[in-house]
């Protein structure tokens, strides 16, 4: 391991958590020896620069949607939050969504201004409970070019 000058600064630290990139600048690095083992100590400030890492731009859309969970009978009501060429988010109040992570769903959005994308298949990637509803983040089963083209014109 190369020697590090005590308290060497000027480094950058990037960390990705979920879909967010955190960037610290002027990070200090120093060596510590404990029990004959050399470790590096990294000291970063408290306020990193935060960058969302969305692959595609999102269209904010607040309209009703109907959700069918693969393998379950019934249709559940939701409200769209946003949609992109490869993902979407919606809210729902039915407790069935509490255990729906990683489930495939079919979502129908009658008021979506993109006729070719009014019904999409997706996988629920995350479910967060908040103020009496579930907030669901989903990845579309396949990229939707019609959604991408529509968003680019807005």
């Amino acid at each position: 391991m190369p020697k590090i000058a005590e308290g060497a600064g000027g480094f950058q630290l990037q960390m990705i958590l979920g879909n967010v990139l955190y960037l610290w600048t002027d990070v200090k690095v120093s060596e510590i020896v404990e029990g004959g083992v050399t470790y590096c100590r990294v000291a970063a400030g408290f306020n990193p620069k935060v960058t969302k890492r969305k692959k595609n731009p999102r269209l904010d859309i607040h309209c009703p949607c109907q959700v069918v969970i693969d393998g379950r009978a019934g249709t559940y009501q939701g409200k769209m939050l946003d949609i992109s060429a490869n993902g979407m988010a919606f809210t729902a109040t039915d407790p069935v969504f509490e255990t729906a992570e990683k489930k495939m769903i079919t979502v129908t959005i009658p008021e979506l201004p993109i006729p070719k994308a009014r019904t999409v298949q997706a996988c629920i990637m995350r479910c967060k409970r908040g103020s009496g509803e579930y907030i669901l983040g989903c990845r579309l089963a396949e990229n939707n070019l019609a959604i991408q083209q529509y968003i680019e014109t807005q």
Side-chain angles (χ1 to χ4, degrees):
M1 178 171 156
K3 289 286 182 195
I4 298 173
E6 185 62 32
F11 292 98
Q12 290 188 355
L13 174 64
Q14 295 182 3
M15 185 179 300
I16 298 171
L17 298 172
N19 206 24
V20 177
L21 170 68
Y22 297 89
L23 171 66
W24 289 267
T25 57
D26 197 28
V27 174
K28 306 233 181 319
V29 179
S30 58
E31 287 183 354
I32 299 172
V33 179
E34 288 182 10
V37 179
T38 302
Y39 298 93
C40 286
R41 174 181 288 162
V42 178
F46 290 104
N47 295 313
K49 179 180 176 187
V50 179
T51 306
K52 299 233 186 251
R53 299 178 56 243
K54 299 282 185 200
K55 179 179 176 183
N56 293 301
R58 302 254 168 189
L59 171 69
D60 288 334
I61 183 164
H62 303 281
C63 63
C65 63
Q66 293 80 45
V67 182
V68 174
I69 301 172
D70 285 5
R72 292 191 67 102
T75 300
Y76 304 93
Q77 301 305 309
K79 182 179 178 186
M80 293 297 300
L81 296 174
D82 63 42
I83 193 164
S84 76
N86 69 335
M88 66 179 178
F90 68 93
T91 61
T93 56
D94 197 295
V96 72
F97 289 105
E98 191 164 358
T99 58
E101 242 178 63
K102 307 298 181 220
K103 302 277 187 193
M104 290 300 296
I105 58 175
T106 301
V107 181
T108 303
I109 314 160
E111 296 177 26
L112 187 67
I114 312 160
K116 290 181 180 178
R118 287 189 179 140
T119 299
V120 294
Q121 290 189 315
C123 179
I124 298 175
M125 301 306 293
R126 63 179 165 72
C127 176
K128 182 178 166 188
R129 181 156 182 127
S131 62
E133 63 185 6
Y134 299 93
I135 303 167
L136 297 115
C138 307
R139 183 183 68 229
L140 297 187
E142 56 186 42
N143 285 353
N144 190 306
L145 187 58
I147 295 171
Q148 180 180 339
Q149 290 171 341
Y150 179 83
I151 292 172
E152 288 172 353
T153 65
Q154 297 303 302

